[in-house]
Each structure stands twice: as structure tokens, then as C-alpha cells.
Amino acid sequence: DVKVTQSSRYLVKRTGEKVFLECVQDMDHENMFWYRQDPGLGLRLIYFSYDVKMKEKGDIPEGYSVSREKKERFSLILESASTNQTSMYLCASRKGQGLSYEQYFGPGTRLTVT
Amino acid sequence: AQSVTQLGSHVSVSEGALVLLRCNYSSSVPPYLFWYVQYPNQGLQLLLKYTTGATLVKGINGFEAEFKKSETSFHLTKPSAHMSDAAEYFCAVTGGSQGNLIFGKGTKLSVKP
């Protein structure tokens, strides 16, 4: 079974703090993704990576950055957290570029910024 | 550009009743379509997917979906709802230059005893 793990299930941070969300997958998948999920808006793609040290902006990259130094790990960074970044953050991984391949999701991190 | 519309943000059914969750997509190329389920406080889990071939796709937990190209639809059904089916369901289509998923806004399913 593919396992995607996220470093925290719940996180509370203060406005202006630098926040790191970590994601690790154990199936040697090339592609990794970060989404945020908000009620009524579904999932929106923040960033994705199709290889080590490679990254591409998704639909809502503003206020976020990412890092992928190793194939199994994909980090989402909030440089200066703001209250409008309070959300559920979901990481996913996928094998290769094949369009028919499904994405496997982690359990999510619920981030609250106060 | 690809897009997904899920009709009904909330659907309520009685236990044992038919479940029908609607999904319509827009795609300029032959689509790959997915249904995911999210139980409370969990990540998303794949229910089923359509790539090519048979248009009726069977998934886990007794769910199935039918790809209808003429209607640009991929509705999810289950003949008999169970209490454990209460969750949020997301339809998605492959889009973008890297084949990323475009998600619908989700449908929350409630099952009444």
C-alpha cells in the first residue's frame, strides 16, 4: 500500500510565523502535490513537483513556497503566515506522468493561524 | 480548459436507498475521470476511475460510475446506501500540462437511519 504521511494533523501558528508542512511518501513516486481544501471550494492546487528539485506553480501559489530536496519528501512553506491561510492542507503523490494514474493522499494538516 | 461541476453540495438519503451523486465535466480532450471519497478528518481515497474502455466502472464499497460522453457526465451510484457511506465525495478530471487533477467542489452525503 502507498503511504503518504504528513508531519502534523493539527497545527496552530501565529500571524507572521514561518510555517513548514512536511509530506513523505514511501512508494518512490515521481510526482508530488500540495492542495488546500476549504469548505465550498473543493481542493485547489498550490504547487506540484514532478522531480527532485523541480517545482511548478499551481492555481494559488501566492504566499507559499515549496522544497523538494529528496524524492520522497515535499515541503510546503508559508513564509509569513496570515489568517487567510487557515485551512486544511493535503499532500498527494502520483507515479509518473501518466494521466490515468491516480493520486494518493495523506491524512491532511489542519492549520489555524491566529 | 477542463472543469468539473458537482450538482448538489449536500445530498441526504435513507439507509438502503439509492445513492446518486452527479458530476459533469468539461474537457477538450478525452478525459480521465476520478471519484474520491473523504471521511471526516481524513485524506482522500480513490473510489474508482475511468481511463479508457468499458464505460461502466466499478469501484470499492459497492460504488460504480458510468461515463457518458454525449452527456459529459460521470455520475456515481450505489444501489443501497449504508450508514458508513456518509462522507464527502469529489469528482475530478485530469487537466493541465502535467496531467494534474481538477476537482469539483464536493458533495457531502448524509445517510439517515
Side-chain angles (χ1 to χ4, degrees):
Chain A
D1 272 357
V2 176
K3 281 267 182 347
V4 180
T5 56
Q6 295 184 228
S7 50
S8 305
R9 294 299 304 274
Y10 300 92
L11 210 51
V12 180
K13 295 292 181 180
R14 294 195 182 277
T15 302
E17 277 193 85
K18 190 169 186 176
V19 181
F20 293 85
L21 303 183
E22 305 284 339
C23 175
V24 177
Q25 50 94 4
D26 67 356
M27 284 300 291
D28 204 37
H29 284 177
E30 289 82 2
N31 297 176
M32 295 187 75
F33 306 82
W34 275 107
Y35 296 90
R36 66 175 281 174
Q37 181 181 12
D38 300 288
L41 297 180
L43 276 75
R44 294 178 290 167
L45 182 64
I46 305 172
Y47 267 97
F48 65 99
S49 168
Y50 51 88
D51 204 348
V52 177
K53 297 190 186 295
M54 306 299 285
K55 60 185 178 184
E56 293 281 344
K57 292 180 180 179
D59 300 318
I60 52 165
E62 296 79 18
Y64 304 93
S65 62
V66 291
S67 172
R68 194 164 180 205
E69 296 296 319
K70 293 186 177 182
K71 190 175 186 179
E72 68 270 18
R73 188 179 299 268
F74 192 35
S75 302
L76 180 69
I77 303 153
L78 287 65
E79 296 289 343
S80 177
S82 64
T83 55
N84 63 13
Q85 293 178 309
T86 291
S87 186
M88 170 73 97
Y89 290 87
L90 292 165
C91 175
S93 72
R94 182 184 70 190
K95 171 187 172 183
Q97 300 295 102
L99 300 185
S100 65
Y101 295 142
E102 63 261 38
Q103 293 185 20
Y104 294 84
F105 284 82
T109 295
R110 189 167 294 280
L111 172 67
T112 302
V113 182
T114 61
Chain B
Q2 286 80 356
S3 66
V4 174
T5 302
Q6 291 185 240
L7 293 173
S9 57
H10 287 87
V11 170
S12 181
V13 301
S14 297
E15 193 172 19
L18 171 73
V19 176
L20 170 61
L21 304 182
R22 300 177 187 274
C23 172
N24 288 88
Y25 69 91
S26 169
S27 178
S28 56
V29 297
Y32 295 100
L33 295 156
F34 302 79
W35 274 101
Y36 282 86
V37 61
Q38 185 180 34
Y39 298 104
N41 296 316
Q42 294 187 27
L44 275 67
Q45 177 184 2
L46 182 71
L47 271 179
L48 49 81
K49 66 178 181 180
Y50 169 77
T51 54
T52 57
T55 56
L56 183 61
V57 181
K58 294 189 184 301
I60 62 171
N61 301 339
F63 284 93
E64 61 184 35
E66 187 171 10
F67 170 61
K68 292 188 176 180
K69 185 178 178 181
S70 61
E71 299 177 9
T72 60
S73 69
F74 190 55
H75 302 331
L76 182 71
T77 60
K78 182 174 180 177
S80 177
H82 193 272
M83 297 295 290
S84 60
D85 295 327
E88 192 160 18
Y89 293 79
F90 292 92
C91 183
V93 64
T94 302
S97 59
Q98 299 290 341
N100 301 324
L101 288 178
I102 311 297
F103 284 89
K105 290 182 169 36
T107 297
K108 195 161 286 189
L109 176 67
S110 302
V111 182
K112 299 174 289 188

